[in-house]
Amino acid sequence: MNLDITFGQYCEGDSVIHRMDPRAKIIAVLLYIVVIFLAKSFAAFGLLTAAAVVLVLLSGIRPRIILHGLKPLMFILLFTVVLNIFFIKGTTLLFEWAFIHVYLEGVFNALLIALRIVLLLVSTSVLMTYTTTPIALTDGLEQLLSPLKRIHIPVHEFSMMMTIALRFIPTLIEETEKIMNAQKARGADFSTGSLIQRARALIPILVPLFISAFRRADELATAMECRCYTGGEGRTRMNVLHAHARDVIACIGICLLGAGVVLLNRFGAYMLSW
Amino acid sequence: MSECFRVENLSYSYPTEEGAAPHRALDHISFSVEEGSFVAILGHNGSGKSTLAKMLSLILFPDEGSVWLRGRNMSTDDITEEDVLRARREVGMAFQNPDNQIVATVVEEDVAFGPENLGLPPEEIRRRVDEALAMVGMTEYARHAPHKLSGGQKQRVAIAGIIAMRRSCIIFDESTAMLDPVGRREVMDIIEKLNREEHITVLHITHYMTEAVRADRVIVMDRGHILMDGTPREVFSQPEKLWAAHLDVPQTTELLYAMRQHGLDVQLDIFDPDECASEIAAAISRR
């Protein structure tokens, strides 16, 4: 269990995208998603694909990592493609057998929808998960949502909980391993038997793990209190987020991309039906 | 010299299940600690030493008696939460398990946690964090993830987090107990440096004799009472008393004691192995 969940899918790097302000990235991703859903024609999708390639190149992330990230999506992709090919009705009949009718429009639709899903995943993961640490994301979210504090939504507390959760994941994984080894040394068997038997074998791991997690939480709370933690009120930060010109440029760039997409939607032989 | 802590007639019992006799963790204890001193509190498990630390850092409040911090009684009824907070800005506390005191996923952000809570401006926090990390020798690990560090390194990060708050007094509650010998030595060197060079009042709670020897003053606790109180030389020259409280004495003292039992005329209060060797050599040549 050598997973480093704390850093999620984060790929170390020092690209322009890595250096972007996390707040700008969150806004950029939201804008980008809107833009992707605006695209309807082949020309517009062509532009978006080009933009995605530029993003990947800018981030300096190896294409193999991104392709690997697409793997879990294969099933959904296949499913939508098949569904679109067989169920979209159009005017140009390509193939007919018994009750199956395949129209040209269906094939086009299938292709564009698949492309849309791939683009969504590639651009959001390049902009966010691959180039931003979960901590930076949490900080960015806290600051973006801070106006909500006015209506008494505990934004700081949520972000503190996220930070602590991220901090303790590796510690608890280590602890789980220790407990598992201790139980194995006493003759516990986790790998054979029926599903129910195996699930039952996990109870002697979960109980001590929970007890220890509560004890840790208690000690951490005391330690935090001793370090004068009283919640978000009156707290400052060492690393203040600074929006640079590049962050504004990135967001404007995405808006321009959106304008381009809307424009290109007018020039297209085929338009996506939804 | 002025007084940092004073406890008067302090008693505390942990709440127990109904019917069971309450266990008295502290039983009418009184002593005071001078500003800038290095005090080791020694005791067997259950001697009340950690309870005492929790009283002094205002995590627990006494059943009877009072805790005075810098001439202020912190155990009266009119002590508000704000007073406690203000006191916590002066008294820092380092705990036993370094894992359970580190909050952030990056070393320097954890060190910054305390100063951030104090509401300091970012540049000031930065300066203090760099200074604190340099003091514990962890500067090169500033951007590392805490869970990848060794126990000693984690504990040093935790101590840096306390140093960065510029407390004038730090209580170490068995901060070396979970560390390997190397980590223990690293942390002890830092504790000693904080006292000698930064003039921070240090209360070091431990059950390692070799660590207690480095203090100015040793308080030995046994079953909620103060058994002995004096300089390391005074305390460790009475091994029988320590053994009776289920405590060890430094190995040098143990050796010298055994030699004295066999008629060799040696001093007991020697803790340095080399000095111990020359003391024995001198005694043998005197014969």
Side-chain angles (χ1 to χ4, degrees), chain A residues 87-186:
Chain A
F87 290 99
I88 296 275
K89 298 252 181 304
T91 45
T92 336
L93 192 65
L94 281 184
F95 176 78
E96 194 177 9
W97 182 77
F99 57 91
I100 298 172
H101 306 272
V102 175
Y103 296 92
L104 186 64
E105 286 82 353
V107 175
F108 283 164
N109 226 46
L111 276 177
L112 289 186
I113 296 270
L115 195 57
R116 180 188 273 172
I117 295 173
V118 170
L119 282 175
L120 267 177
L121 191 88
V122 169
S123 39
T124 51
S125 58
V126 166
L127 263 175
M128 288 226 290
T129 46
Y130 285 134
T131 58
T132 326
T133 57
I135 279 302
L137 269 184
T138 312
D139 277 355
L141 262 180
E142 180 184 353
Q143 297 223 355
L144 275 181
L145 296 180
S146 59
L148 292 180
K149 278 180 196 162
R150 290 230 187 100
I151 54 168
H152 301 293
I153 292 177
V155 177
H156 165 76
E157 282 70 14
F158 280 130
S159 106
M160 196 71 207
M161 275 157 61
M162 270 294 289
T163 310
I164 291 173
L166 287 168
R167 151 75 187 83
F168 276 91
I169 287 169
T171 309
L172 290 179
I173 288 180
E174 212 175 279
E175 180 124 9
T176 314
E177 268 171 24
K178 255 189 224 163
I179 297 171
M180 268 177 107
N181 287 338
Q183 305 288 29
K184 272 185 202 156
R186 291 179 177 81

Side-chain angles (χ1 to χ4, degrees), chain A residues 241-263:
Chain A
L241 295 176
H242 289 293
H244 294 274
R246 60 166 172 265
D247 300 310
V248 181
I249 292 170
C251 290
I252 294 176
I254 289 169
C255 291
L256 288 178
L257 193 68
V261 162
V262 171
L263 218 68

Side-chain angles (χ1 to χ4, degrees), chain B residues 31-203:
Chain B
F31 68 92
S32 69
V33 172
E34 295 285 297
E35 206 87 64
S37 55
F38 180 177
V39 180
I41 298 180
L42 266 178
H44 198 251
N45 287 342
S47 62
K49 58 191 193 304
S50 280
T51 312
L52 181 63
K54 288 196 176 102
M55 297 270 157
L56 295 176
S57 54
L58 309 173
I59 298 170
L60 290 177
F61 291 90
D63 294 342
E64 257 178 82
S66 52
V67 175
W68 295 66
L69 181 64
R70 295 237 157 85
R72 179 143 198 225
N73 187 348
M74 298 304 292
S75 313
T76 55
D77 289 334
D78 57 346
I79 286 292
T80 60
E81 209 154 300
E82 230 142 276
D83 295 322
V84 172
L85 265 175
R86 206 165 313 127
R88 285 209 175 118
R89 289 175 181 226
E90 290 174 46
V91 182
M93 176 111 167
F95 296 85
Q96 185 175 27
N97 189 343
D99 264 328
N100 296 353
Q101 6 176 3
I102 293 176
V103 186
T105 50
V106 182
V107 165
E108 62 173 16
E109 290 201 11
D110 185 74
V111 178
F113 179 76
E116 284 177 343
N117 290 337
L118 297 179
L120 298 169
E123 317 80 62
E124 173 69 14
I125 299 178
R126 180 85 258 169
R127 198 161 45 237
R128 287 189 180 194
V129 167
D130 291 344
E131 202 184 279
L133 281 174
M135 209 181 283
V136 299
M138 290 294 289
T139 305
E140 58 180 310
Y141 295 96
R143 300 291 311 157
H144 281 233
H147 70 270
K148 291 190 175 156
L149 303 176
S150 73
Q153 288 172 327
K154 280 185 215 169
Q155 196 62 280
R156 275 149 73 191
V157 170
I159 293 173
I162 298 166
I163 296 172
M165 296 184 78
R166 301 247 169 96
R167 261 84 167 258
S168 55
C169 170
I170 304 179
I171 302 170
F172 294 89
D173 186 5
E174 298 201 51
S175 300
T176 52
M178 288 181 80
L179 307 180
D180 58 14
V182 178
R184 216 154 65 215
R185 200 170 323 121
E186 289 168 356
V187 169
M188 259 330 272
D189 288 344
I190 289 164
I191 294 177
E192 202 163 30
K193 188 166 129 190
L194 286 176
N195 177 257
R196 306 276 185 253
E197 289 169 24
E198 307 296 320
H199 308 292
I200 292 172
T201 313
V202 168
L203 255 76

